Amino acid sequence: MTSKQEIRKQLRQKGSAGSSAEVAEIINRLRQHPRIVLARTLLIYSSLPDEVPTQELLDEFVSEGKTVLLPRVVSATDMLLHCYTGAADLESGAFGILEPTGKPFTDYQQIEVAIIPGMAFDRHGHRLGRGKGYYDRFLPLLTNAYKIGVCYPSRLFDEIPVDDHDIMMDEVIS
C-alpha cells in the first residue's frame, strides 16, 4: 500500500480537485443531512483552497440559530474551539487558515456533529490529514459527536494507510 506521505505528495501535486458541481452537491448533502439539520451545536472547519469550501454553510448555520464552532491552532500540537457568529469573527491564522476570534468553547460533550476536513478519506471512514496531527489529538475529546468527513470525490480512496491513533469518521461525504 502507498504510504501516507506518498499520497499527500500526489494530492498536493494535483492541487484543488473539485468542480463547482461537486461543491454544490457536497454542500447540499451537508445542508440536508438529518443529523446536521437537527444539531444545535456543531463543529465545522474554515476551508483551505484545496478543501470543500464551508463559508456559505457557516453563515447559514449561524442564521439558523446553531452554535457554530471552528478550530483555532494555538500551538505546534494543539487546537482549541471558538464560537463563530459571522465573518467578522475570522482572522488569518496558522497555515493561512481563517481562524475564529469568538469566545472559546470547551463543553465538548455538547457537540452533536463534527464536520471534518481531510486531504483524503477512504470508504471505511479513515481520514488522511495533512500530517501535523491536530485533528488526531483533538477528535478523541469529541465523545458524543457524530463525525462526518468531507472531501472531493477524487480524494475518496478505497483504502488509505491507518495508524493506531487515527480516529474513524462515522460517515464520509464526497
Side-chain angles (χ1 to χ4, degrees):
M1 183 185 303
T2 308
S3 75
K4 287 183 175 186
Q5 293 79 8
E6 290 168 338
I7 294 171
R8 285 187 192 105
K9 182 179 177 183
Q10 291 170 6
L11 292 173
R12 284 185 183 112
Q13 288 172 345
K14 280 186 189 177
S16 183
S19 70
S20 57
E22 289 170 336
V23 169
E25 171 71 20
I26 293 166
I27 296 301
N28 283 332
R29 287 182 62 201
L30 289 168
R31 196 179 268 135
Q32 297 169 10
H33 193 288
R35 288 184 182 261
I36 294 172
V37 169
L38 295 174
R40 292 176 310 278
T41 303
L42 54 86
L43 165 64
I44 191 167
Y45 61 95
S46 183
S47 51
L48 288 168
D50 64 343
E51 294 172 339
V52 175
T54 56
Q55 189 62 48
E56 181 181 332
L57 283 176
L58 295 174
D59 295 332
E60 278 181 35
F61 293 157
V62 167
S63 72
E64 292 169 4
K66 298 179 186 300
T67 299
V68 177
L69 307 170
L70 292 174
R72 180 176 186 88
V73 172
V74 295
S75 73
T77 57
D78 296 307
M79 61 186 199
L80 296 176
L81 301 184
H82 289 260
C83 294
Y84 172 85
T85 60
D89 286 352
L90 296 175
E91 67 182 15
S92 186
F95 313 107
I97 301 169
L98 287 176
E99 293 184 332
T101 58
K103 68 179 182 175
F105 184 93
T106 56
D107 191 0
Y108 302 140
Q109 301 306 306
Q110 294 298 315
I111 301 171
E112 297 157 277
V113 175
I115 301 170
I116 309 296
M119 286 198 77
F121 291 89
D122 72 17
R123 298 184 189 286
H124 308 288
H126 299 113
R127 175 181 174 273
L128 176 69
R130 296 184 179 275
K132 302 278 187 201
Y134 287 102
Y135 277 98
D136 293 326
R137 285 183 289 278
F138 187 80
L139 287 174
L141 303 174
L142 303 182
T143 56
N144 290 334
Y146 185 81
K147 293 174 275 311
I148 301 173
V150 178
C151 69
Y152 292 114
S154 63
R155 292 180 174 220
L156 182 63
F157 290 73
D158 288 332
E159 191 173 5
I160 57 174
V162 180
D163 293 323
D164 291 340
H165 64 268
D166 290 336
I167 304 293
M168 283 184 65
M169 300 294 105
D170 295 302
E171 180 177 352
V172 177
I173 294 179
S174 69

